[in-house]
Amino acid sequence: MAEEIAKTARVKQPALFKQFMGLVTKNELSHAYLFTGEEGAGQFAVAMGVAMRLFCTNVTEDGYPCGQCPECQRIMNHDHPDVVITEPDGQSIKVDQIRHVKSEFTKSAMEGSKKVFIISDADKMTTGAANSLLKFIEEPTGNIVSFLISKNRNLVLPTIISRTQVVEFPSLSKDLMIGELKKGGVLPSQINLLISMTNSLSEIEGLVKDNWFASVQEVVEKWFVYLVKENLMAMPYIQMALMPLITSKERQRIIISMMISAFNDVLEVKYDTLSQDKIKYPAVIDQTRQAANEWTDKQLLSMLDELLDMNHSMMANVNFQNIVEAATLKILTMAKS
């Protein structure tokens, strides 16, 4: 597992991880960092990798932690006395947790001259907890390095941000995202559609965890097929199949994005820019090609305009079923014209 953490850091953020390995070698680490960026971009892996490098007893020739020595293994198992990891207790990081961190700050390192503190989801610290941590970041004692990890730097106390070195983690490349999703068991038929909607692994996990996304994808596919066939069943199908899947305003927006993606596939097929491995709706690719052949540029762009206007109607608090039915009827009319 320790070896896997180091490997994850090198794969997800090779440039950043190499940079930090150089800082350790030169003894130039700052006392406090805020790692921020989308979930799954490797922030925790890099922080753990730096901790392992600081204590590793068998550093590789290229300056990376071995991931196999007892020190690396203990850090990975959260069992090293000089590497303290804090994460939310429930929905937040509470004052008592920060008090524990503070007490660890004041202790001498037990097995070396260094101490490392990693605080995951730092944006979930209560105001009291954040204020409690602040002065210990302001006035570090001894050879201490702290890593605060947050998906959203705007939710971190500004005074903490001003006293840390902020490191923005770039989004994962598309190939890495696909690899992570495959490892997580996401169906191949869902991957291209998901990554066209978000770069956040945590958002994707939320979408697929209860099979909701798969159900909506199937409904949108059938709705799209009705439209291509100019079948009026597209109208009652909205009430019968789509509306029972609506559970929140956010999911309404997701459904609109999924509908737009189906028409984007048509547009890309029409202009021959959609490669086989980028298709978002592989189950209806025949109907996508049919639409690309039969709908004119003007028709297709007008249809997309109607779908995009659904977002504006939502902001005006128009009933969602009415929004989708109105757009569907206009698209059917355009297809027949």
Side-chain angles (χ1 to χ4, degrees), residues 119-190:
I119 301 178
S120 293
D121 293 316
D123 51 282
K124 293 183 180 178
M125 281 190 287
T126 63
T127 301
N131 283 321
S132 181
L133 178 67
L134 182 58
K135 68 178 181 179
F136 289 91
I137 292 179
E138 286 179 313
E139 304 168 4
T141 57
N143 192 355
I144 292 171
V145 59
S146 303
F147 296 98
L148 281 66
I149 298 171
S150 171
K151 287 179 289 186
N152 188 347
R153 63 178 288 175
N154 296 323
L155 298 179
V156 179
L157 206 65
T159 45
I160 286 183
I161 293 175
S162 68
R163 288 159 177 81
T164 59
Q165 184 170 326
V166 179
V167 180
E168 298 278 357
F169 276 59
S171 301
L172 297 184
S173 70
K174 190 171 182 179
D175 287 343
L176 278 175
M177 279 285 289
I178 291 172
E180 290 291 312
L181 295 177
K182 285 180 178 177
K183 283 196 295 185
V186 176
L187 296 175
S189 59
Q190 298 176 348

Side-chain angles (χ1 to χ4, degrees), residues 36 44 298:
T36 184
F44 185 74
K298 183 178 179 180

Side-chain angles (χ1 to χ4, degrees), residues 44 78 85-90 92-94 97 118-121:
F44 185 74
H78 299 197
I85 300 168
T86 301
E87 53 191 17
D89 178 11
S92 63
I93 296 176
K94 302 174 176 62
Q97 292 177 269
I118 301 173
I119 301 178
S120 293
D121 293 316

Side-chain angles (χ1 to χ4, degrees), residues 47-100:
M48 288 287 279
V50 174
M52 288 160 56
R53 172 63 180 83
L54 284 167
F55 292 93
C56 181
T57 58
N58 189 27
V59 177
T60 64
E61 289 183 3
D62 52 357
Y64 291 90
C66 70
Q68 299 174 341
C69 70
E71 296 293 280
C72 286
Q73 292 291 327
R74 291 170 71 194
I75 291 168
M76 179 59 212
N77 293 327
H78 299 197
D79 192 33
H80 196 292
D82 294 328
V83 178
V84 180
I85 300 168
T86 301
E87 53 191 17
D89 178 11
Q91 297 299 311
S92 63
I93 296 176
K94 302 174 176 62
V95 173
D96 286 346
Q97 292 177 269
I98 297 303
R99 284 181 184 146
H100 169 70

